[in-house]
Amino acid sequence: MRRTAPIIQRIDWLTVAIVVILMAIGLFNVASATAGADAVDWFDWGSKQGKQFMWVALAMILAGLILVIEGEFFIRTAAIYYFVNLLLLVAVLAVGRTIGGAKSWFSFGSIGIQPSEFAKTGTALMLAWLLSRNNERISNRNNLVKAILIVAIPAGLILLQPDAGTVLVFGGMILVFYREGLSGNVLIAVFCALLIAIATILTGASLFEYPAIGSASAVGILWFILAVLGTFIWSMIPQWVLPRKRKRVRRAVVFSFIAGLVMSAALHTGLEEVLKPHQKDRIHVLFGIDVGNPDADYNIRHAKAAVSSGSWTGKGYLQGPMTAYGFVPEQETDFIFCTIGEEWGFVGTVFTLLLYTLLMLRILHLAERQRSDFTRIFAYAAASVLFMHYLINIGMVLGLAPVIGIPLPFISAGGSSMLGFTLLIFILLRLDAERFTVLR
Amino acid sequence: MNLRERQVVIGGIFVLITLIFIGRLIQMQLYSSEWKEYAARLTEETEQLEPARGLMLDRNGQILLNNMAGYDIWFTPRKCRTAGGLDTMAFAEILRMTPAELEREFRRAEAYASYRPSIIRKQIPAEHFARIAGELYRFPGAEARRRTIRTNPTGLASHLVGEYREVDQNDMASNSRYRLGDYKGKSGLELQWDQALHGKRGIRHHIVDIRNDYRAPAQEGLLDTLPTPGQDIQLTLDLDLQAYGENIMANKRGAIVAIEPSTGEVLAMVSAPSYATDLLTGRERGSNYDSLLNHPSKPLFNRTLRATYRPGSIFKMIQGLIALDRGVIRPSSRIYCDRNIIGCHGGHTLDNLEEAIVHSCNPYFHEVMKRMIQDGSSGNIFRDAHNNLGAWSESIRAFGMGTNLGGHFPALRSGTVPDTTDYDRMYGRKRWAYSTIYSISIGEGELLTTPIHMANLAAVLANRGHYVTPHVIQHIGDLGKPEEMNQRFDTGIDPIHFETVIRAMAQVVTAEDGTGSRAQVPGFDVCGKTGTVQNSQGNHSVFIAFAPKNNPQIALSVYVENAGSGGDWAAPIASLMIERYLNGTVEQREKEDRILQATYPFPESPL
Ligand SMILES: [Zn+2]
């Protein structure tokens, strides 16, 4: 490939193809979910799928614009874009419209814009900018704090809306930190902390018949197991660890297990003592704990039923009764995967999963072929954002993750996420296209 | 680890999650049926298409049981909740319920399934529904569904037609075709002919939406079937005669059974006191049933088939016929009225058979039966009785006594004709002789019969020696009368012997001092016999009769409990029934008034 080749030959068409296919899947399934039992009216611009059509068209225009802008522009304006985003996130808390319990929308007539969908790109740009400056490695504690702040500030503003799903997406940036040099132990520690938190919530909701004490919360068993496990590992240190490392390892083990216990106890107390019963119930419902209200989790039961009823090849496009007759809530946005599952079956769901996986792996591949740190870090941030949406959205529909509403990239109806993801992917593609021509 | 190699860890996490998702999809979409079944339960509903239930008509085509338009109110709790609830007070008012009753129904519906409709108000008649139909939209979650209400507009023959009502847990457990809210025949003809009346249900498969409303046919309607309507049943009853009988038996306890002798067709079956069928099919069934069940006169008890009485004097005619047939007496045989053996009444001393029947002479029939049972053939009175009673019982059973009369009334009690084994069990083998059991010779002792057995006896006498199995079915649908309804039973007794007995029966009615003189019907020769059944609360008045004497059209039995002697009350009722049937009208006004005003045994709370 020649360095002077036109931009059109240098962009990664595989990624573009995957994105276009995802958009097409989205259009067809949003149309089915919107039409319900009626025939699809492809040219009704007022309907949800009509709007989606419009958003896809706008996304194409936006992609074209991005591709003709010099990559240098994005690097230079990263900080500006980031701070404008922060301002918008503050503004939405003041004048935003509340939909579905979260104050996260600017509303212009019938069109709503969600600034948090654009803040992901802003944060990715800012993070890439910070970490790609000379000698600003993440192993430097000072830089780590700066990097965490860059992610935490928008995440904190979004938590105030509150939109837990998007906050979790920002949490996914830990993968970027890991790639840039954060210790693997941190990744493991975060994973363990999540595991302990989930175990605390699940055991905390059930009772156990203790000998001599009687009936009490089963969370005690969790603590007992943690204590026994910690003691066991501590006692095995002489066998497992070289003498000169023992002191450090011992300290680490004692610290981790005490931290785990304290966190678990704090979480349990918070749930039981601080939250009001209805708030506690909401958290329990997220984790599939029976709160004695048959209506509480019927959304997720219907979602699972819809996906399951697709079998091998699905009921056929526009033929799914659960999609057509309103059994799945928010089925053109957060639960769009139900429509794919019901109407296209296993073939359709696995095809979609493979497309996302291919897209994420392709982005990793693009990232690693860069000479520019900025592009690599930005690419990792984009992959992390995509991955978190993929993980949370499909995990929720399949009943593996809590019910947290976030869109499925390029497929769910909605303009903000469509434009936000377009921004994310096409800035990356533009930067990637310049990988031979520009040295940074 | 080289930082560049960390892409493998991160890529590995992506792939691992995808593999977990694919594993979950294999379980959900390909392997497990749990969620698929749940989806089918949510989205598919089968609608049962009820066939129109067959009507019941009398022998002249008059309608006895009909179907009437009505509506059930169904309620879906979740629909109501999502629409923001409803005004319970106003809803209760239009449904004509108390708010407390309505709340109870709401709770029941919620317990059944919050997203499915259940019935909260049953059988609203069409005219009530017409007034509230326009109001229903104000109550989200409520909907009306049409259903037919079974009705007996005349209120006649309730014991015979029986109950048609909602299935209970037992019905649903024993037959999978019943679902909650279905109806079926529970007793009487409604139960006996339930299948023919019901027809065949149709099924329509629907795809429903989240509000459980039907949206589209499932499986393209290929599995749907149309209902086959139930068959109309024409009965042998004469509704005019039935109505007349129920009217004159008002305020009395007892029974009338009238049969057309030549065919065995039952013309009327009156069990008094009676009740209107609709009391037990409507939505007030519960409270009506309790008050009927607890009423001292037992209105729910079908006396025509289930009340058993000793036959008394009427039985003497059978004794005479068997004796003539066996040659132990001839019509002219005279027997001394020896009141030292057994009591008697009246001024006679040496009657022949005809006179003995008219006078109801006890010693005569004591002697007649003695000649059959204790005939001296074995030289031992115990052995004689043991050898001969079996044959005697067989002869009695040939008149239908102690049998199920051909088996067309499932509720019928057969009554009792004691046999050798019965007495062996009571007294011990060969520990009893004729002197032990002689009370059965005059229709007392262990003998028990029902009103329909006695009406059948009247038919045997009218037919001079045979009967056709009593039945009430004339036609089922287009099929005509089932062949088994024509089954004929012969007594095996020479018709010639009946003439003597029938002469006596004519005498009972026509003689100035005859015990059955009140049974006379102007213009017709009525043959009858009175009976009086001993009872501590007052004797039961009994009469059997047929008319006209030659070419009989009607044979009947009449029972009036605790009313006194047979001639006083049962005989005139028989007279009125015969007149009504043969003439179509009653001109014996005085007799009719006397019966209508009579209240036996004592005034009771009205039904
Ligand atoms: Zn006498």
Side-chain angles (χ1 to χ4, degrees):
Chain A
M1 204 177 285
R2 289 173 299 117
R3 292 186 176 193
T4 52
I7 188 79
I8 197 96
Q9 288 175 18
R10 282 178 280 136
I11 56 175
D12 184 50
W13 283 104
L14 177 60
T15 305
V16 175
I18 296 171
V19 167
V20 169
I21 296 172
L22 287 174
M23 284 173 170
I25 291 176
L27 264 180
F28 280 107
N29 286 290
V30 167
S32 176
T34 307
D38 308 321
V40 178
D41 183 355
W42 292 103
F43 301 102
D44 175 7
W45 304 112
S47 73
K48 278 177 180 155
Q49 112 271 341
K51 278 189 190 161
Q52 184 72 355
F53 212 86
M54 189 188 78
W55 288 123
V56 167
L58 272 178
M60 297 291 190
I61 294 168
L62 181 64
L65 280 175
I66 292 166
L67 289 179
V68 298
I69 294 171
E70 286 288 321
E72 187 66 22
F73 171 81
F74 299 110
I75 300 165
R76 289 188 184 285
T77 57
I80 299 170
Y81 184 77
Y82 177 74
F83 285 108
V84 169
N85 264 317
L86 289 187
L87 282 179
L88 288 175
L89 287 176
V90 173
V92 83
L93 288 175
V95 301
R97 202 161 138 225
T98 302
I99 294 176
K103 202 169 186 185
S104 51
W105 297 80
F106 290 119
S107 120
F108 307 100
S110 69
I111 291 170
I113 295 290
Q114 232 179 329
S116 55
E117 293 296 340
F118 298 95
K120 293 164 197 167
T121 309
T123 306
L125 285 170
M126 188 68 189
L127 202 58
W129 180 77
L130 176 86
L131 296 180
S132 63
R133 288 192 307 176
N134 287 339
N135 300 321
E136 300 273 358
R137 317 302 321 177
I138 205 160
S139 46
N140 177 323
R141 184 160 295 178
N142 208 13
N143 282 329
L144 178 62
V145 171
K146 278 188 207 163
I148 288 175
L149 278 178
I150 286 172
V151 178
I153 292 169
L157 289 170
I158 290 166
L159 190 61
L160 294 176
Q161 293 180 352
D163 176 357
T166 308
V167 174
L168 280 175
V169 170
F170 279 84
M173 294 293 184
I174 194 169
L175 293 177
V176 181
F177 294 180
Y178 172 66
R179 170 60 183 83
E180 294 307 313
L182 185 71
S183 162
N185 291 341
V186 178
L187 216 57
I188 294 169
V190 168
F191 181 72
C192 289
L194 275 177
L195 219 59
I196 291 175
I198 292 169
T200 303
I201 293 170
L202 292 182
T203 53
S206 46
L207 289 176
F208 184 76
E209 209 61 46
Y210 292 94
I213 301 171
S215 197
S217 170
V219 76
I221 297 177
L222 177 70
W223 296 341
F224 180 73
I225 290 172
L226 279 178
V228 169
L229 196 66
T231 314
F232 174 73
I233 291 174
W234 189 80
S235 70
M236 293 310 277
I237 285 172
Q239 267 93 11
W240 291 347
V241 183
L242 294 173
R244 61 187 172 82
K245 286 189 177 171
R246 276 185 199 151
K247 199 172 170 193
R248 248 188 69 214
V249 171
R250 245 186 214 123
R251 228 175 4 202
V253 167
V254 169
F255 173 79
S256 337
F257 277 92
I258 287 178
L261 276 172
V262 167
M263 187 195 79
S264 178
L267 182 63
H268 184 68
T269 315
L271 271 177
E272 295 300 319
E273 310 294 337
V274 182
L275 290 189
K276 298 196 173 70
H278 74 270
Q279 292 171 319
K280 196 174 91 178
D281 279 357
R282 272 224 305 264
I283 288 173
H284 282 174
V285 168
L286 285 186
F287 285 87
I289 298 163
D290 186 12
V291 295
N293 176 0
D295 288 351
D297 65 338
Y298 90 96
N299 285 358
I300 194 64
R301 281 189 283 123
H302 286 192
K304 282 194 265 187
V307 171
S308 178
S309 68
S311 290
W312 269 105
T313 54
K315 304 246 164 166
Y317 184 54
L318 298 176
Q319 303 295 312
M322 298 203 66
T323 295
Y325 300 123
F327 284 93
V328 184
E330 301 168 58
Q331 55 186 342
E332 72 283 341
T333 55
D334 297 343
F335 283 89
I336 191 71
F337 197 65
C338 294
T339 303
I340 299 174
E342 188 186 24
E343 299 194 338
W344 302 93
F346 185 70
V347 172
T349 52
V350 170
F351 179 69
T352 310
L353 295 188
L354 292 180
L355 276 180
Y356 278 115
T357 313
L358 186 60
L359 178 62
M360 294 185 297
L361 294 179
R362 184 69 188 170
I363 292 172
L364 291 194
H365 173 75
L366 298 187
E368 294 296 345
R369 76 183 185 189
Q370 303 303 322
R371 282 180 291 176
S372 149
D373 288 343
F374 182 93
T375 311
R376 183 186 66 243
I377 295 164
F378 183 77
Y380 266 95
S384 302
V385 168
L386 273 177
F387 172 67
M388 291 308 283
H389 276 262
Y390 173 73
L391 176 74
I392 296 169
N393 183 289
I394 292 176
M396 165 186 79
V397 171
L398 300 186
L400 298 171
V403 182
I404 297 171
I406 63 172
L408 198 53
F410 301 113
I411 292 187
S412 288
S416 301
S417 77
M418 178 65 76
L419 297 180
F421 282 113
T422 304
L423 216 52
L424 195 65
I425 298 300
F426 281 85
I427 288 176
L428 170 64
L429 290 182
R430 172 71 210 196
L431 291 170
D432 173 63
E434 293 175 2
R435 69 187 183 279
F436 297 116
T437 52
V438 184
L439 260 178
R440 276 186 285 269
Chain B
M1 193 195 258
N2 183 334
L3 287 184
R4 219 178 149 75
E5 286 170 15
R6 289 191 171 183
Q7 65 168 310
V8 179
V9 175
I10 295 173
I13 292 174
F14 295 172
V15 171
L16 177 70
I17 293 297
T18 296
L19 290 178
I20 290 173
F21 285 170
I22 290 177
R24 174 69 164 176
L25 285 168
I26 288 173
Q27 183 220 347
M28 278 171 68
Q29 295 190 296
L30 307 183
Y31 182 72
S32 158
S33 56
E34 179 197 346
W35 289 102
K36 285 190 191 61
E37 282 160 13
Y38 180 64
R41 278 206 303 282
L42 287 172
T43 58
E44 284 173 28
E45 189 93 343
T46 55
E47 182 189 14
Q48 307 273 355
L49 304 174
E50 279 302 320
R53 193 170 173 82
L55 307 181
M56 248 185 237
L57 312 161
D58 88 335
R59 64 191 294 119
N60 303 313
Q62 222 187 315
I63 286 178
L64 177 59
L65 281 184
N66 203 349
N67 301 320
M68 188 169 78
Y71 295 84
D72 289 339
I73 303 296
W74 294 66
F75 181 74
T76 313
R78 181 182 286 164
K79 252 193 236 183
C80 178
R81 266 205 304 281
T82 51
L86 53 68
D87 180 352
T88 308
M89 293 292 281
F91 197 31
E93 194 184 318
I94 70 160
L95 294 181
R96 299 183 188 164
M97 304 167 85
T98 67
E101 281 170 342
L102 187 57
E103 293 284 359
R104 200 173 55 234
E105 293 299 325
F106 282 165
R107 279 195 297 278
R108 269 231 317 252
E110 181 71 56
Y112 170 60
S114 70
Y115 59 93
R116 287 241 161 120
S118 36
I119 304 182
I120 53 164
R121 186 62 160 156
K122 287 173 196 159
Q123 300 190 7
I124 294 183
E127 72 274 7
H128 174 191
F129 182 74
R131 277 199 294 278
I132 67 169
E135 301 284 306
L136 273 184
Y137 77 94
R138 292 200 289 133
F139 306 100
E143 62 188 305
R145 292 194 192 165
R146 220 182 120 88
R147 85 138 53 251
T148 56
I149 301 178
R150 193 71 157 167
T151 178
N152 176 342
T154 61
L156 296 170
S158 297
H159 296 97
L160 180 64
V161 301
E163 281 186 63
Y164 177 67
R165 63 181 162 90
E166 212 174 326
V167 294
D168 55 30
Q169 292 298 330
N170 292 338
D171 298 319
M172 284 187 281
S174 64
N175 189 334
S176 60
R177 94 178 161 95
Y178 297 123
R179 308 212 304 188
L180 197 70
D182 283 352
Y183 279 60
K184 79 178 280 274
K186 297 288 271 190
S187 62
L189 295 174
E190 291 271 38
L191 169 64
Q192 194 181 348
W193 301 96
D194 193 40
Q195 286 217 315
L197 289 166
H198 180 264
K200 212 163 164 283
R201 203 176 260 156
I203 287 182
R204 204 178 283 155
H205 301 266
H206 292 278
I207 291 181
V208 296
D209 64 15
I210 184 74
R211 288 175 298 276
N212 219 53
D213 291 334
Y214 299 149
R215 296 298 293 260
Q219 277 100 22
E220 281 141 14
L222 291 175
L223 302 177
D224 296 357
T225 53
L226 284 172
T228 314
Q231 291 171 304
D232 293 346
I233 294 185
Q234 182 165 33
L235 302 181
T236 62
L237 284 194
D238 182 315
L239 267 195
D240 175 72
L241 186 64
Q242 179 76 23
Y244 188 74
E246 292 195 18
N247 188 36
I248 54 177
M249 287 300 282
N251 304 319
K252 301 166 192 72
R253 293 202 295 232
I256 305 174
V257 178
I259 296 175
E260 184 176 72
S262 58
T263 59
E265 291 173 2
V266 174
L267 302 169
M269 285 184 99
V270 177
S271 178
S274 188
Y275 59 92
T277 314
D278 291 356
L279 287 178
L280 293 189
T281 51
R283 58 184 180 202
E284 314 296 345
R285 178 183 189 278
S287 59
N288 290 337
Y289 182 80
D290 287 344
S291 70
L292 289 172
L293 187 67
N294 296 324
H295 195 281
S297 290
K298 296 195 202 161
L300 293 175
F301 182 49
N302 186 354
R303 288 171 164 81
T304 59
L305 299 175
R306 300 190 58 78
T308 52
Y309 309 92
R310 287 174 176 173
S313 308
I314 296 165
F315 192 71
K316 291 168 183 164
M317 295 188 291
I318 307 180
Q319 291 281 40
L321 286 165
I322 300 172
L324 286 174
D325 191 55
R326 296 190 179 184
V328 299
I329 54 168
R330 282 178 294 132
S332 55
S333 302
R334 289 183 182 276
I335 294 172
Y336 174 56
C337 178
D338 184 350
R339 300 183 184 188
N340 294 324
I341 302 170
I342 187 167
C344 200
H345 37 74
H348 60 279
T349 51
L350 194 64
D351 281 351
N352 63 16
L353 177 58
E354 188 181 324
E355 290 160 349
I357 290 171
V358 174
H359 299 142
S360 209
C361 179
N362 290 337
Y364 190 98
F365 291 99
H366 180 275
E367 173 61 20
V368 162
M369 189 171 175
K370 188 176 176 183
R371 288 180 189 178
M372 292 188 276
I373 300 298
Q374 197 168 305
D375 59 355
S377 57
S378 68
N380 173 314
I381 58 167
F382 297 105
R383 203 171 298 148
D384 275 355
H386 192 268
N387 291 347
N388 294 326
L389 186 72
W392 178 86
S393 298
E394 273 316 301
S395 305
I396 304 298
R397 289 205 179 88
F399 284 79
M401 301 293 163
T403 74
N404 66 4
L405 296 173
H408 300 303
F409 296 95
L412 175 71
R413 275 193 180 152
S414 297
T416 311
V417 174
D419 208 337
T420 316
T421 50
D422 297 322
Y423 287 124
D424 280 350
R425 199 167 47 244
M426 285 166 67
Y427 301 110
R429 196 170 153 79
K430 294 190 181 164
R431 302 278 297 274
W432 51 275
Y434 178 61
S435 56
T436 322
I437 62 168
Y438 71 89
S439 59
I440 61 174
S441 68
I442 56 165
E444 302 292 335
E446 289 76 19
L447 287 163
L448 285 175
T449 65
T450 68
I452 194 172
H453 284 106
M454 294 304 259
N456 188 59
L457 172 60
V460 173
L461 295 165
N463 289 335
R464 278 78 169 166
H466 74 270
Y467 67 93
V468 178
T469 178
H471 57 272
V472 291
I473 302 299
Q474 189 76 279
H475 295 295
I476 294 176
D478 309 324
L479 296 178
K481 187 181 281 189
E483 192 45 47
E484 65 270 23
M485 303 289 178
N486 295 322
Q487 195 184 0
R488 179 178 152 143
F489 294 88
D490 259 288
T491 56
I493 290 170
D494 193 333
I496 214 95
H497 299 311
F498 281 84
E499 293 310 325
T500 311
V501 174
I502 288 168
R503 265 203 312 280
M505 290 175 78
Q507 194 69 16
V508 166
V509 177
T510 51
E512 269 321 299
D513 57 344
T515 51
S517 61
R518 285 194 158 111
Q520 286 169 16
V521 178
F524 294 99
D525 299 329
V526 176
C527 300
K529 178 74 188 85
T530 54
T532 304
V533 178
Q534 309 290 324
N535 187 283
S536 56
Q537 254 107 51
N539 295 343
H540 302 326
S541 173
V542 187
F543 195 75
I544 73 166
F546 66 85
K549 181 178 169 192
N550 301 311
N551 188 24
Q553 300 298 309
I554 178 170
L556 77 170
S557 69
V558 178
Y559 280 75
V560 189
E561 289 183 5
N562 313 117
S565 74
D568 285 348
W569 299 101
I573 287 172
S575 161
L576 294 167
M577 288 292 284
I578 291 167
E579 187 187 6
R580 181 76 177 198
Y581 184 66
L582 296 180
N583 271 345
T585 169
V586 168
E587 268 153 24
Q588 309 177 76
R589 288 276 165 226
E590 213 173 305
K591 199 182 269 181
E592 191 180 45
D593 287 345
R594 173 171 171 269
I595 300 296
L596 285 175
Q597 281 154 23
T599 299
Y600 281 102
F602 34 73
E604 276 171 354
S605 59
L607 289 167

